[in-house]
């Protein structure tokens, strides 16, 4: 077997060009690790209007490309640039579909109604680009519902296309809650034939389900942590698709995401006012003071500070956390900073907190990468009260920054955070099971009392946390093994 694999990553987000969440971090980092292992990786993403061509020095790569959708030929062009790490990135440019400010939704957090058409088109365009450029990939790596149909297109439309039909299709699911479940109105355009509009293929409760199609057609499927792989095939965390995942058997696994330590390391982080490391943590105090100042909190090194950086979505449990903050404010000497955006009602609630608890709670509604870094560095604890969490990156960043995670015991949070044992001082964080404000507040209380009463345990935990290594090399090796296994299954 060829030791060097040709891999095409097809995704709707990639750092630094377009990001709404961790998907972008993964698509930006995994290729770099695979490249270092000697593979040939290309990334393809849409050219959203928000991507600055000048800043990223985009060049025209293919002036026109015709893409057949159900009965209609669409036209687009393709730009390219070189990403750090020597990875070529290609941008599918269609003003009609991607010439708008948002990635998935408008400024009022409403999904674009043509999302099924936008991402079906994008997925077909990725395959067309391989054909036009004669790339002959070994692996077509699809991410989430947005590109899941790549597996169906390959098998239904390109079974006799020599440049594509030998490729193994790999679908990575970053979140079962987003399935691309739409009314069947778009089905004709998607163009996969009504004979496949059946419950065991693409149909779901009268509509089309992109992710289900991907699960059924991809040669192998994985998600982003072992525990989430288990939860999604055995419980309602599969959001209705658990039996389909279960029946994939060995062809459905969990591979933990890695951390891009080039971007997330307190020793080198350019976004924080003082760098620090395991050997010399003195800079962390400067970061804490700066964070307290920036968020209007009392600048006091003695008061424990809990940080949050999150999308405001049901998954993240921040509605429960909001109630927990009120409880904590009644009887604890603790501070909070919250950075996030999304759900409009939650945004309003969080924006009201600083006035209610002046000097104790700070909020920034919006998206800010520098602030996210400062929170990781300046806080003592990091809160992730997720209802479910496929992997979660922030808790892994927190560990590296010596900021102990307070997390719900689910998915990737369960796999990456070790529970504090009060009798011995072991562990790297604080975990709780119940989805309730009381459980969250009690666990924050546990962390806060550890901070005040057992500083020697804090010290040992911080050291252990900072030594944890979730580098991408380890995860990329598992992806490589998965690629080779699926190629072997296909007789290659
Ligand atoms: P998810 O992808 O479900 O949102 P992850 O923990 O995998 O969760 O990844 C979230 C990523 O998005 C992290 O890199 C985090 O720092 C970043 N992030 C989320 N919200 C914000 C925000 N408001 N400002 C800056 N970064 C954010
Ligand atoms: C999703 C999940 C998150 C995961 C990320 C990257 O957005 O919600 O848990 O870390 O994808 O895989």
């Amino acid at each position: 077997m060829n030791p060097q694999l040709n891999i095409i990553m097809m995704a709707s987000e990639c750092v630094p060009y377009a990001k709404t969440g961790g998907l972008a971090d993964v698509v930006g980092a995994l290729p770099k690790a695979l490249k270092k292992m000697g593979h040939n990786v290309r990334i393809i993403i849409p050219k959203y209007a928000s991507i600055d061509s000048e800043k990223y020095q985009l060049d025209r790569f293919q002036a026109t490309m015709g893409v057949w959708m159900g009965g209609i030929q669409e036209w687009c062009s393709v730009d390219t640039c070189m990403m750090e790490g020597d990875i070529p990135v290609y941008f599918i440019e269609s003003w009609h579909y991607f010439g708008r400010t948002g990635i998935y939704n408008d400024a009022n957090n409403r999904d674009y109604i043509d999302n099924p058409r936008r991402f079906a088109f994008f997925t077909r365009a990725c395959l067309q680009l391989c054909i036009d450029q004669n790339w002959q990939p070994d692996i077509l790596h699809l991410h989430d519902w947005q590109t899941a149909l790549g597996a169906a297109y390959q098998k239904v439309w390109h079974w006799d296309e020599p440049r594509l039909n030998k490729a193994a299709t790999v679908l990575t699911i970053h979140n079962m809650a987003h399935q691309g479940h739409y009314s069947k109105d778009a089905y004709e355009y998607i163009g996969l034939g009504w004979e496949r509009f059946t419950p065991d293929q693409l149909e779901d409760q009268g509509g089309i389900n992109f992710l289900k199609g991907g699960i059924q057609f991809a040669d192998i499927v994985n998600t982003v942590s072992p525990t989430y792989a288990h939860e999604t095939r055995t419980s309602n965390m599969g959001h209705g698709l658990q039996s389909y995942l279960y029946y994939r058997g060995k062809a459905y696994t969990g591979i933990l995401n890695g951390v891009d330590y080039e971007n997330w390391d307190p020793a080198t982080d350019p976004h924080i006012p003082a760098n620090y490391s395991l050997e010399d943590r003195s800079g962390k105090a400067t970061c804490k003071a700066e964070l307290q100042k920036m968020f209007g909190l009392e600048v006091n090194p003695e008061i424990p500070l809990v940080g949050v950086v999150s999308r405001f979505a049901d998954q993240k449990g921040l509605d429960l956390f909001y109630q927990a903050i009120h409880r904590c404010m009644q009887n604890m000497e603790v501070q909070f900073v919250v950075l996030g955006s999304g759900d409009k009602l939650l945004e309003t609630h969080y924006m009201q907190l600083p006035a209610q608890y002046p000097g104790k709670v700070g909020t920034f509604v919006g998206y800010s990468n520098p602030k996210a870094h400062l929170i990781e560095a300046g806080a003592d604890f990091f809160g992730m009260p997720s209802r479910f969490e496929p992997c979660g990156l922030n808790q892994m960043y927190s560990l590296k920054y010596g900021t102990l995670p307070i997390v719900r015991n689910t998915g990737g949070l369960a796999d990456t955070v070790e529970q504090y044992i009060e009798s011995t001082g072991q562990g790297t964080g604080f975990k709780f099971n119940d989805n309730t404000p009381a459980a969250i507040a009690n666990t924050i209380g546990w962390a806060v009392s550890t901070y005040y009463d057992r500083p020697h345990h804090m010290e040992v935990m911080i050291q252990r946390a900072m030594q944890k290594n979730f580098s991408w090399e380890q995860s990329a090796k598992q992806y490589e093994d998965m690629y080779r296994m699926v190629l072997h299954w296909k007789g290659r």
Side-chain angles (χ1 to χ4, degrees):
M1 192 189 287
N2 186 351
Q4 185 190 53
L5 299 174
N6 286 320
I7 303 160
I8 300 282
M9 294 272 170
M10 306 160 45
S12 55
E13 300 183 27
C14 175
V15 154
Y17 313 105
K19 167 166 168 172
T20 67
L23 166 66
D25 295 84
V26 174
V27 176
L30 173 60
K32 286 196 257 176
L34 289 165
K35 171 90 185 186
K36 281 192 195 141
M37 295 164 76
H39 301 298
N40 182 16
V41 194
R42 295 184 170 97
I43 303 173
I44 314 178
I45 63 169
K47 167 77 174 67
Y48 302 108
S50 54
I51 298 176
D52 184 337
S53 304
E54 265 177 45
K55 177 173 169 197
Y56 296 116
Q57 302 182 341
L58 266 49
D59 290 323
R60 188 43 50 99
F61 180 68
Q62 187 172 322
T64 51
M65 183 164 80
V67 179
W68 277 103
M69 300 306 295
I72 305 170
Q73 193 171 30
E74 304 271 17
W75 292 93
C76 60
S77 51
V78 185
D79 289 351
T80 188
C81 73
M82 217 34 138
M83 191 171 91
E84 182 201 307
D86 219 17
I87 314 278
V89 183
Y90 302 88
F91 300 83
I92 304 294
E93 175 147 30
S94 155
W95 188 252
H96 172 58
Y97 281 139
F98 303 120
R100 21 187 132 161
T101 44
I103 295 183
Y104 312 119
N105 39 38
D106 63 20
N108 292 318
N109 206 26
R110 279 186 306 238
D111 272 13
Y112 293 128
I113 50 168
D114 56 353
N115 274 346
R117 288 181 172 76
R118 295 171 78 217
F119 290 103
F121 160 76
F122 168 67
T123 303
R124 279 280 301 122
C126 293
L127 300 181
Q128 190 61 45
L129 186 59
C130 296
I131 297 171
D132 285 12
Q133 296 295 329
N134 200 16
W135 280 341
Q136 305 192 28
D138 298 301
I139 301 290
L140 286 169
H141 194 151
L142 322 170
H143 293 268
D144 275 350
W145 72 266
Q146 290 89 344
T147 54
L149 289 186
Y153 284 129
Q154 185 223 22
K155 292 202 168 67
V156 174
W157 282 32
H158 300 302
W159 58 274
D160 63 347
E161 165 52 62
R163 285 160 289 198
L164 285 178
N165 62 4
K166 288 179 209 63
T169 47
V170 176
L171 170 64
T172 298
I173 300 175
H174 298 262
N175 198 326
M176 285 303 297
H178 302 296
Q179 300 184 355
H181 192 186
Y182 294 105
S183 100
K184 64 180 183 210
D185 297 354
Y187 194 72
E188 201 70 53
Y189 179 83
I190 287 165
L192 282 164
W194 286 105
E195 68 278 20
R196 289 178 197 84
F197 193 70
T198 53
D200 60 331
Q201 298 192 53
L202 294 151
E203 189 267 351
D204 189 357
Q205 296 170 60
I208 172 171
N209 187 325
F210 281 52
L211 194 64
K212 183 187 209 180
I215 291 168
Q216 299 299 74
F217 281 92
D219 294 314
I220 198 161
V221 183
N222 80 296
T223 186
V224 287
S225 71
T227 295
Y228 192 63
H230 177 72
E231 289 168 343
T232 49
R233 66 156 84 78
T234 53
S235 74
N236 60 9
M237 286 200 208
H239 285 84
L241 296 184
Q242 45 271 41
S243 59
Y244 296 92
L245 292 169
Y246 183 82
Y247 283 117
R248 291 299 320 247
K250 285 202 182 82
Y252 178 53
T253 59
I255 300 178
L256 205 61
N257 287 330
V259 171
D260 187 350
Y261 288 122
E262 280 172 27
N263 278 319
W264 294 94
D265 181 349
T268 52
D269 192 331
H271 300 292
I272 58 179
N275 292 114
Y276 61 92
S277 62
L278 180 62
E279 292 71 36
D280 177 6
R281 296 210 316 272
S282 52
K284 192 164 169 63
T286 313
C287 297
K288 181 169 177 178
E290 176 69 24
L291 180 61
Q292 288 173 320
K293 205 156 55 178
M294 181 180 281
F295 279 79
L297 306 180
E298 179 190 335
V299 179
N300 182 341
E302 307 296 328
I303 304 177
L305 172 46
V306 183
V308 171
V309 179
S310 184
R311 290 184 291 120
F312 288 170
D314 188 59
Q315 167 193 352
K316 301 293 179 181
L318 287 177
D319 48 334
L320 306 174
F321 197 83
Y322 170 77
Q323 296 177 49
I325 290 180
H326 285 296
R327 286 177 183 240
C328 294
M329 285 294 117
Q330 306 316 311
N331 54 13
M332 288 180 213
E333 190 68 285
V334 58
Q335 298 177 334
F336 290 92
V337 293
V338 178
L339 165 65
S341 62
D343 182 272
K344 294 295 156 199
L345 187 63
L346 262 191
E347 286 187 356
T348 313
H349 280 160
Y350 273 101
M351 274 191 287
Q352 288 164 348
L353 284 177
Q356 278 173 280
Y357 304 109
K360 291 178 174 241
V361 183
T363 301
F364 182 87
V365 167
Y367 190 92
S368 164
N369 189 44
K371 285 192 178 61
H373 283 253
L374 182 62
I375 293 175
E376 292 288 4
D380 299 297
F381 301 102
F382 194 92
M384 284 183 83
S386 309
R387 290 190 164 83
F388 64 93
E389 196 59 76
C391 178
L393 298 171
N394 281 307
Q395 82 283 9
M396 294 196 273
Y397 303 155
S398 306
L399 292 168
K400 183 73 181 171
Y401 284 72
T403 303
L404 302 181
I406 301 173
V407 302
R408 181 145 182 277
N409 192 16
T410 184
L413 302 174
D415 290 337
T416 53
V417 178
E418 292 158 31
Q419 181 68 300
Y420 169 51
I421 302 173
E422 205 172 306
S423 54
T424 62
Q426 279 170 309
T428 57
F430 303 82
K431 301 203 255 191
F432 55 93
N433 289 311
D434 292 349
N435 250 333
T436 59
I440 298 170
N442 289 341
T443 312
I444 293 171
W446 189 27
V448 165
S449 69
T450 308
Y451 180 94
Y452 285 120
D453 303 335
R454 292 175 296 282
H456 54 297
H457 281 180
M458 285 292 294
E459 178 61 31
V460 183
M461 287 174 86
I462 290 170
Q463 288 190 18
R464 189 176 296 122
M466 291 182 80
Q467 285 173 54
K468 285 278 154 200
N469 181 3
F470 296 103
S471 73
W472 265 109
E473 284 93 81
Q474 300 170 34
S475 308
K477 177 78 188 68
Q478 292 180 53
Y479 274 98
E480 184 191 47
D481 290 347
M482 178 170 71
Y483 295 157
R484 295 211 186 279
M485 183 166 79
V486 67
L487 286 170
H488 175 71
W489 289 351
K490 287 180 77 87
R492 293 193 49 197

